[in-house]
Amino acid sequence: MSGIRRDEHEAHEHGGAPQPHERHQHQHAAHHQHEHAAHAQRPQHEHAAHAQHPQHAEHRDHGDHTGHAGHAGHGDHVALYRRLFWWMLALAIPTVLLSGMFASIVGYALPDAPGLRWVSPALGTVMFVVGGRPFLTGAVDELRSRRPGMMLLIALALTTAFIASWAASLGFADHHLDFWWELALLVVIMLLGHWLEMRSLAQTSSALDSLAALLPDEAERETPSGIERVAPAALRVGDVVVVRPGARVPADGAIVEGSASFDESMITGESRPVARGAGERVVAGTVATDSGVRVRVDAVGDATAIAGIRRLVADAQASTSRAQRLADRAAGWLFWFALGAAAITAVAWSALGAPDDAIVRTVTVLVIACPHALGLAIPLVVSIATERAARGGVLVADRLALETMRRVDVVLFDKTGTLTAGEPTVLDVLAVDGDADRVLALAAAAERPSEHPLARAIVRAAERAALDVPDASDFSSSPAVGVTAVVEGARVRVGGPHLLDEEDVAELPAVEAWRAEGAIILHVVVDGEVVGALRLADAIRPESREAVDALHRLGVEVAMVTGDADAVAQSVARELGIDRVAANVRPEHKEREVARLQDEGRTVAFVGDGVNDAPALARADVGLAIGAGTDVAIASADVILASSDPRSVLSVVELSRASARKMVQNLWWAAGYNLLAVPLAAGVLAPFGFVLPMSVGALLMSLSTIVVALNAQLLRRLDLDPAASAARVLDAAPWAAARQEAATVSA
């Protein structure tokens, strides 16, 4: 029954109203294993049936960027570019300093030592072959795909500088064509840019590996000779396995003996343990929280629920189209621009009867077109932006999300754990005699021995109210009924409809309004008489309203998807002002809600945190995972919100817009240098007596790189604290409206 609502079968051991079909995030597998012993010592879980109730986008494929050699494995490329950068930097220093052309430009004399003039050619050749290899290989790929980009432009400059420099060193060409220093700087700067880029793109974990980690390391299978421990992969349909308290179910199957409360949050998104008894199905990866059961396996391997979710994640990732990088497009344009300018230069100077000048000018054009600043324009912005984001609680796993987030026009929130706290909270206490504190204290006393989430919520509420909770004795629990304890000599019981039936008492009429909201309703019975009732629900985060309001101010529609009953979903939507709601959604259908919005032509950001959110996170244009969520949700997302503050979404929007501005500014500056320097180097002003000297061209190249670097540094001023982002948006909107009104009046 994984993912299927059971509203009409409410058997909350306290018998509450239909509950949210959302995740209460259970901690990671290691945490569960750590708690096995503790679970085994707990009393029979009195809340065994606590929660039985009804139950176009492109993901960044993190693969190779078209035309880029070997970008398929970002983790490997981080190490590759890092090693290459440091080795090439060490070689570049003597190559540049001992270059005759560089010495001439800067104005110092090289020592007259034997063989010194061959140091730069020798080291430069090593740098060309070793340091330039990734770019040369990438250029070949771009040529084969007929899509020139950054790699081909870099390779063009490197190859031209290499051939011209050897020609000058051997005396076959003008000494002004000694570009060893330029080749060395280009290799180092490009390696630095790509190292930064690969580091910003590298994923910290694999979504599919995280899903596989939900399964236990071994299963206990019954055999005629006793219990044997085997790997889950060795199980076959029909096998009977023992699932002990606190252990994970190794394969999908049906309970043949026993009953227990199962934490299904990692799979179904259910926010609290669900009671399962004989004949009911359980899903691999879920946890028996209180008692042990025997399960007959009916699905293994690819037929399990986890395998189905894995397929959804993989399909969503594989079906996405690859976005052409902005810098690559600019490099492609510049490649054709440089080739065209070089051809025109060669023809023009040759026609003027100056073949030597034609060679010098043509080579100069091709080398000056090398994208020093262009190679750093995007990676520097990404590196600084992701660092600033991390300080604001936003971890960028996919830099393409930065470009996409500014275009998002609808944010789809998963409810529990994002807009709500993801755990039950006591919202109201009703007392027959008006003494609500007394009712809460008695309930807390009876529930205190329990480890169930609802019991803990009641105890926390009493602690927050600073109530004097009396001691209890003779504690007992009854699955699907409630708890019983002796408190100050009175028999106190806390539970739901089944408890009221046992006591043959009626529920308080005032709780009908609570039931209409989908709240959990627990009655408190003292010596056979109802003295009060408690309303519990998944509390809305105080920051959620501000987040929704700010998104609306930005012109972004806010939607919510949940497995809850419609009454619960609509109640939350009304309180927060959410535009669109999809309720009663099974886990695997959350992805469909994303796809439905995309089919309307919307650019969708999805915010979630559970395993069941992974396909939707992967399918969305931008997937944002709550950092406190599961490993697989985080691994499937483009952006991880380290906190659970929904206002962090605003930080991502601001980061996206600021980063996009800096990228465009840097690209224009980097490309602008080429657009200005290339014609001057070609000699377009030669008829007026001006030809760009190589030394000036070199200074312009350096200046362009410095300006790009400094402009990127301005991103460090951006404060991405969620509260600060929300305050800026909410404060700026009225100001912007007033400015627009003033402009209209003035016109």
Side-chain angles (χ1 to χ4, degrees), residues 282-347:
V282 291
V283 180
T286 57
V287 181
T289 61
D290 53 358
S291 57
V293 295
R294 294 171 64 242
V295 175
R296 186 179 304 279
V297 175
D298 62 16
V300 295
D302 292 340
T304 62
I306 284 183
I309 295 178
R310 291 181 68 182
R311 283 194 298 274
L312 286 174
V313 174
D315 290 346
Q317 291 176 335
S319 66
T320 60
S321 61
R322 296 171 182 168
Q324 181 75 17
R325 294 182 304 173
L326 188 58
D328 267 346
R329 292 199 295 268
W333 300 331
L334 288 176
F335 170 77
W336 294 114
F337 174 72
L339 278 187
I344 294 173
T345 300
V347 171

Side-chain angles (χ1 to χ4, degrees), residues 479-617:
V481 177
V483 300
T484 303
V486 175
V487 182
E488 295 181 337
R491 182 170 175 265
V492 177
R493 305 191 72 186
V494 182
H498 293 300
L499 182 145
L500 297 180
D501 291 341
E502 283 191 4
E503 293 288 332
D504 194 24
V505 294
E507 71 176 13
L508 299 178
V511 304
E512 283 301 322
W514 295 352
R515 179 166 286 107
E517 298 175 358
I520 303 169
I521 302 170
L522 305 179
H523 281 78
V524 181
V525 180
V526 178
D527 290 334
E529 181 180 353
V530 177
V531 298
L534 307 175
R535 177 168 71 103
L536 296 91
D538 188 7
I540 294 175
R541 295 184 186 278
E543 307 89 358
S544 295
R545 181 70 202 216
E546 193 174 1
V548 173
D549 288 346
L551 285 170
H552 283 154
R553 292 287 180 88
L554 292 174
V556 178
E557 183 179 352
V558 181
M560 183 179 74
V561 62
T562 176
D564 281 359
D566 189 65
V568 178
Q570 293 298 338
S571 175
V572 173
R574 284 193 301 271
E575 184 168 346
L576 295 180
I578 290 174
D579 306 298
R580 187 185 301 200
V581 177
N584 296 308
V585 178
R586 294 173 60 176
E588 63 269 27
H589 293 168
K590 290 183 179 181
E591 180 199 17
R592 296 184 186 178
E593 295 302 320
V594 175
R596 183 175 291 114
L597 289 169
Q598 292 169 338
D599 289 342
E600 296 176 10
R602 314 297 295 274
T603 302
V604 183
F606 179 81
V607 187
D609 70 336
V611 168
N612 54 300
D613 295 332
L617 286 165

Side-chain angles (χ1 to χ4, degrees), residues 321-487:
S321 61
R322 296 171 182 168
Q324 181 75 17
R325 294 182 304 173
L326 188 58
D328 267 346
R329 292 199 295 268
W333 300 331
L334 288 176
F335 170 77
W336 294 114
F337 174 72
L339 278 187
I344 294 173
T345 300
V347 171
W349 283 94
S350 297
L352 292 174
D356 291 341
D357 287 340
I359 294 174
V360 172
R361 291 292 106 202
T362 300
V363 172
T364 301
V365 164
L366 292 175
V367 175
I368 278 185
C370 62
H372 284 72
L374 190 60
L376 288 178
I378 300 299
L380 266 181
V381 171
V382 171
S383 180
I384 294 173
T386 51
E387 181 230 331
R388 296 304 303 163
R391 293 179 182 273
V394 177
L395 308 177
V396 179
D398 183 357
R399 75 153 184 86
L400 290 176
L402 292 178
E403 181 182 347
T404 304
M405 192 66 190
R406 64 189 174 90
R407 302 195 306 270
V408 164
D409 53 15
V410 56
V411 175
L412 178 61
F413 285 96
D414 181 61
K415 183 181 76 67
T416 305
T418 52
L419 295 174
T420 62
E423 60 183 12
T425 301
V426 176
L427 300 181
D428 204 355
V429 180
L430 177 65
V432 173
D433 62 1
D435 190 353
D437 286 348
R438 178 63 177 166
V439 170
L440 180 58
L442 289 173
E447 294 277 16
R448 189 152 53 184
S450 170
E451 291 294 333
H452 192 276
L454 292 183
R456 292 197 295 268
I458 294 171
V459 173
R460 283 197 304 270
E463 291 174 347
R464 283 196 299 268
L467 300 181
D468 183 14
V469 178
D471 293 330
S473 60
D474 296 331
F475 171 84
S476 65
S477 66
S478 178
V481 177
V483 300
T484 303
V486 175
V487 182

